[in-house]
Amino acid sequence: MTDRPRNLPQLLGDRRTWFDEAVAAAMLEAGERPVTFAQQNVFAHLDPDGTTVAELARRMGMARQSAHQAVHALVGMGLLDLVPDPSSSRRRLARLTPEGRRVHERAQALIARLEEDLAARLGPSTLDALRAVLDRPWGEPRLRAEP
Amino acid sequence: MTDRPRNLPQLLGDRRTWFDEAVAAAMLEAGERPVTFAQQNVFAHLDPDGTTVAELARRMGMARQSAHQAVHALVGMGLLDLVPDPSSSRRRLARLTPEGRRVHERAQALIARLEEDLAARLGPSTLDALRAVLDRPWGEPRLRAEP
DNA sequence: CCAATGTCAGCATAACTGACATCA
DNA sequence: CTGATGTCAGTTGTGCTGACATTG
């Protein structure tokens, strides 16, 4: 109720949620099938020329099996397909289908517009500074009291 | 592989994860039982004098039932207890037990130290600016192309 | 043989919705 | 009666681990 000072992780999470909900609502409004967060994450880490499930898992920081599950759901929705890797017969590359590319580009455009709106509200230099701080390497967190 | 430009929601989520993992690792290192993210969230929104489950749910932006689940898990761990509200017999207030207060304060101190370390690395004014931007009202996201 | 990959199966957590009793 | 609250039950999404076959 009272305005308690919120710590940084809370603020970061709230703002992330601000974006997530806006994207989900806008995609729904646009008549697109809802794409879950895990699936958006796959899109975000996919190479244009295709990526193996194991590599996706590494990039997303999850188990191979979890990435596999998300990829398979997207394949079932017709947004991804798995093609054999010409360089290695045991590998299969997950790639965007044309429909997947369309949905992905639409979501990316939406995020870009939200960022533009924010820049107009908060000031372009403010938003640039925000992005710069978040993009800068933060180093490893210190665990113990006396390292 | 190549440095692709990451958008704001990704950056926000990554930095939130930076904090979450650091706190979880440090609490584990300190010999504390692991407290999940949902449970940290309950702690963060709890009033010192106790809060009803319904009010917690509103603050956390979740369904009453989901908050109920998280609260009950914490009660089972001995970190919360449910006491009858003197002002209304149908209400029950979730409150920190002494052990819950100890764990919560330890986690808060950990986060504060992580923020101090960050301030030393990135510059105090930079970190203040970051917090200020995140804390400023962002307004409602624009959904349609032409509002 | 070894290591990486893809995949199946089972489990835990955390959110959701629906339903319902209680009580100010 | 109405509305808020607490709670039970079921479902979904997303992660995990274990296990195993395949293949370079």
Side-chain angles (χ1 to χ4, degrees):
Chain A
M1 184 144 306
T2 60
D3 288 349
R4 292 178 299 159
R6 287 182 296 170
N7 55 37
L8 219 35
Q10 273 181 278
L11 289 169
L12 290 165
D14 285 353
R15 291 327 190 178
R16 164 72 196 230
T17 302
W18 186 91
F19 270 102
D20 282 346
E21 290 181 346
V23 170
M27 290 293 276
L28 184 69
E29 160 121 348
E32 300 286 352
R33 284 172 298 175
V35 174
T36 66
F37 302 142
Q39 294 165 358
Q40 290 176 34
N41 204 18
V42 170
F43 278 160
H45 290 92
L46 209 56
D47 283 320
D49 49 335
T51 312
T52 64
V53 172
E55 174 61 22
L56 277 174
R58 276 189 292 269
R59 293 183 190 175
M60 296 190 288
M62 332 187 303
R64 254 176 16 256
Q65 296 90 325
S66 306
H68 176 259
Q69 190 176 6
V71 166
H72 237 68
L74 287 168
V75 169
M77 295 172 67
L79 303 182
L80 286 187
D81 55 0
L82 293 167
V83 299
D85 186 339
S87 74
S88 171
S89 71
R90 77 177 160 190
R91 293 186 178 179
R92 300 169 71 195
L93 295 176
R95 263 191 344 191
L96 289 171
T97 62
E99 168 73 359
R101 191 174 314 275
R102 188 188 64 74
V103 171
H104 182 222
E105 282 167 2
R106 188 159 200 170
Q108 289 302 110
L110 250 160
I111 293 173
R113 211 194 57 200
L114 287 168
E115 294 191 17
E116 285 167 21
D117 287 356
L118 258 190
R121 291 177 191 174
L122 305 179
S125 65
T126 302
L127 201 68
D128 285 346
L130 171 62
R131 194 195 313 276
V133 180
L134 296 177
D135 212 5
R136 206 197 289 192
W138 280 14
E140 282 303 303
R142 182 162 59 104
L143 286 190
R144 323 189 69 138
E146 261 70 33
Chain B
M1 183 142 309
T2 60
D3 288 352
R4 293 178 299 161
R6 287 183 296 171
N7 55 38
L8 219 36
Q10 274 182 275
L11 289 169
L12 290 165
D14 285 353
R15 291 325 190 179
R16 164 73 195 229
T17 302
W18 186 91
F19 270 102
D20 282 345
E21 291 181 346
V23 171
M27 291 293 275
L28 184 68
E29 161 121 350
E32 301 286 353
R33 283 173 298 176
V35 175
T36 66
F37 303 143
Q39 294 164 356
Q40 290 177 35
N41 203 18
V42 170
F43 278 162
H45 291 91
L46 209 56
D47 283 321
D49 48 337
T51 312
T52 64
V53 172
E55 175 60 23
L56 276 174
R58 276 190 293 270
R59 294 183 189 176
M60 297 191 286
M62 334 187 302
R64 253 177 16 260
Q65 296 87 331
S66 307
H68 176 259
Q69 190 176 6
V71 166
H72 239 68
L74 287 168
V75 170
M77 294 172 67
L79 303 181
L80 286 187
D81 56 0
L82 293 168
V83 299
D85 185 340
S87 74
S88 172
S89 71
R90 76 176 160 188
R91 292 187 179 178
R92 300 168 72 194
L93 296 177
R95 262 190 346 190
L96 288 172
T97 62
E99 167 73 359
R101 190 175 315 276
R102 188 188 63 77
V103 171
H104 181 222
E105 283 168 1
R106 187 159 201 172
Q108 289 301 110
L110 248 160
I111 293 173
R113 211 194 56 198
L114 287 168
E115 293 191 18
E116 285 168 21
D117 287 356
L118 257 190
R121 291 177 193 176
L122 305 179
S125 66
T126 303
L127 201 68
D128 284 347
L130 170 61
R131 194 194 314 275
V133 181
L134 296 177
D135 211 6
R136 206 197 287 192
W138 280 16
E140 282 303 303
R142 182 162 59 102
L143 285 189
R144 324 191 66 140
E146 261 72 33

